[in-house]
Amino acid sequence: MTVTAVLIALVLSSALCAVLLALIQRDAANQTVKELAREGRVVAASVNTGRLTDPIPAPDGELLQVADRRGRVLAASPLMQDRARVPIRPPPRDEDRRDGRLCGIDAPGGRCFLVVEYQVGLGAPAKFVYSLSPAPGPLPRPLAASLVLISIPFITGLAGYGTWLAASRTLRPVDGIRRELDEITATDLERRVPVPPRRDEVGLLAESVNATLDRLEQAVARQRGFVSDVSHELRSPLTALRMELELALSAPDDADLPETLQAVLINAERLSAVVDDLLALTRLEADRNFTREPVDLTEITDEEVLRRPRRSQVTVLSEGPVTVHGGRSELARLVTNLLDNADRHAASEVTVILRAEPPDTAVVEVIDDGTGIPPEDRERVFERFARLAEGRHRDAGGTGLGLAIARDIAEAHRGSLILTDRIDGVPGARFVLRLPGD
């Protein structure tokens, strides 16, 4: 920024100085022309009164010359004696004066001259008075020109220093943000970058960084809790497996082999269920751009109900196809998770209602006749590995991930999944799934 400002200031100050020098030169030329006009008027007055002498008095070394219409030099100042007539045309017919600039004429003091010509009289007897002076050079006034030239580095340096100072002051908070970010690690995510008092772009950047750190801290906390919960959930079936095998090995003659194998199979199935749910969560978090196609939720529900027997009686109510655009396997897992959860908590019956709501929404309700869930705990059931204390004995067969996966799938389809009371006032839970229609 400083280099750019210096370059711009250098170009602008140079252009300004060039303009000022041109104005100074023009002013010097105008002053010279005024002096020449005054000298020429004095000589013209002498010609009119008949008091012209040769040489023409020129105490300050003026360059003066008088000639007739035929080009003969009648009188001249001492420095112009024996020199050729100044080659300039006579003034226009309706004027008695002409100003000009001539180069290469026979006159001392320079190569180019400013000339003022006066015509005295009319017709053949007319006389022409010439007063001339060397034309001002590029620096006709050295002191003023020196001040102008000195202003170029002064203005450039001032602009560079001002830009550097302003940029440093503006970017100083950015350096503080960078240093703080360099020191933040995964073990101290509670730290935040300093927010400058001014609400400018840097202040907004610091607020965005802190908001990002807030989200990162929450994500890391969720992941740490998730890892802890996974370790706990896997430890239980693994411990049970180990215990069953150790008991069988410690007393092989007393062990009931079918019973032992049945217990091992149950714990292995629970391990497999936890691993399957973890893989499903990982796939959802890694990539939500799964293949989508028109899917009939009524057909999927019927297939999942008939796929295996359940403890409760499941009734499906639908007036016809309810179609959405989504992933078939993902939506099948969502419906299965809701059915499994309702089956574990129902007293005897689970009802599934499918319908289409205008303008374009598919609704699936999964209702059980269990004890229900208090309002304050209805969001907790969607947390990973969440189990309510009063329902642990009923949910012993679950992994604690089914409802979390179901909500993630619903959100991946731009839908929602909530838990509410039954509308008929009977105790139980009512899960309502809403998805955009096809």
Side-chain angles (χ1 to χ4, degrees), residues 337-400:
N337 289 356
L338 292 179
L339 289 173
D340 290 346
N341 177 79
D343 184 52
R344 285 194 299 272
H345 293 85
S348 60
E349 184 180 6
V350 174
T351 303
V352 182
I353 302 175
L354 300 99
R355 67 179 186 277
E357 284 187 354
D360 190 22
T361 303
V363 180
V364 179
E365 296 185 13
V366 180
I367 306 167
D368 64 63
D369 59 351
T371 58
I373 298 175
E376 62 272 13
D377 293 328
R378 288 176 181 172
E379 281 300 311
R380 284 184 53 204
V381 299
F382 293 104
E383 298 176 1
R384 297 173 181 181
F385 299 112
R387 287 194 182 91
L388 304 183
E390 61 273 14
R392 288 185 184 273
H393 66 285
R394 283 185 168 271
D395 202 20
T399 64

Side-chain angles (χ1 to χ4, degrees), residues 54-72:
D54 186 24
I56 302 172
D60 296 327
E62 293 90 345
L63 303 179
L64 301 168
Q65 192 179 77
V66 179
D68 60 13
R69 188 172 289 279
R70 290 184 293 177
R72 293 179 301 172

Side-chain angles (χ1 to χ4, degrees), residues 162-382:
T163 303
W164 175 81
L165 192 64
S168 299
R169 184 177 302 173
T170 302
L171 296 177
R172 193 175 296 120
V174 177
D175 189 54
I177 294 172
R178 179 191 59 79
R179 287 196 303 268
E180 189 68 22
L181 283 175
D182 288 342
E183 296 176 3
I184 293 176
T185 64
T187 58
D188 57 354
L189 287 175
E190 70 279 358
R191 295 176 62 174
R192 296 294 179 268
V193 300
V195 179
R198 292 179 300 174
R199 189 170 177 79
D200 53 8
E201 287 78 2
V202 178
L204 295 175
L205 171 64
E207 292 178 1
S208 296
V209 170
N210 285 336
T212 302
L213 289 174
D214 288 339
R215 293 192 295 270
L216 180 60
E217 183 181 11
Q218 294 171 5
V220 171
R222 285 196 304 269
Q223 184 158 358
R224 288 172 178 169
F226 180 68
V227 171
S228 176
D229 291 337
V230 168
S231 301
H232 174 74
E233 291 295 325
L234 292 178
R235 186 182 296 114
S236 298
L238 285 173
T239 301
L241 277 172
R242 185 184 183 89
M243 183 183 67
E244 293 290 344
L245 294 174
E246 287 178 348
L247 287 175
L249 289 174
S250 63
D253 295 335
D254 298 335
D256 186 346
L257 183 59
E259 183 179 350
T260 300
L261 292 178
Q262 183 65 30
V264 170
L265 180 60
I266 291 173
N267 286 289
E269 288 178 347
R270 184 175 180 187
L271 274 175
S272 178
V274 172
V275 171
D276 288 343
D277 285 345
L278 289 176
L279 289 175
L281 279 174
T282 303
R283 284 194 296 267
L284 280 173
E285 291 179 350
D287 183 17
R288 295 198 171 191
N289 296 322
F290 42 80
T291 303
R292 300 172 187 260
E293 58 181 316
V295 178
D296 184 0
L297 293 179
T298 302
E299 178 185 350
I300 286 181
T301 303
D302 290 338
E303 291 176 355
E304 294 303 318
V305 169
L306 299 174
R307 185 168 57 88
R308 61 184 177 86
R310 301 179 186 275
R311 184 181 60 85
S312 306
Q313 179 183 351
V314 180
T315 303
V316 179
L317 303 177
S318 175
E319 296 180 355
V322 178
T323 306
V324 298
H325 193 76
R328 187 174 188 85
S329 60
E330 287 77 14
L331 292 174
R333 175 177 284 274
L334 188 160
V335 173
T336 298
N337 289 356
L338 292 179
L339 289 173
D340 290 346
N341 177 79
D343 184 52
R344 285 194 299 272
H345 293 85
S348 60
E349 184 180 6
V350 174
T351 303
V352 182
I353 302 175
L354 300 99
R355 67 179 186 277
E357 284 187 354
D360 190 22
T361 303
V363 180
V364 179
E365 296 185 13
V366 180
I367 306 167
D368 64 63
D369 59 351
T371 58
I373 298 175
E376 62 272 13
D377 293 328
R378 288 176 181 172
E379 281 300 311
R380 284 184 53 204
V381 299
F382 293 104

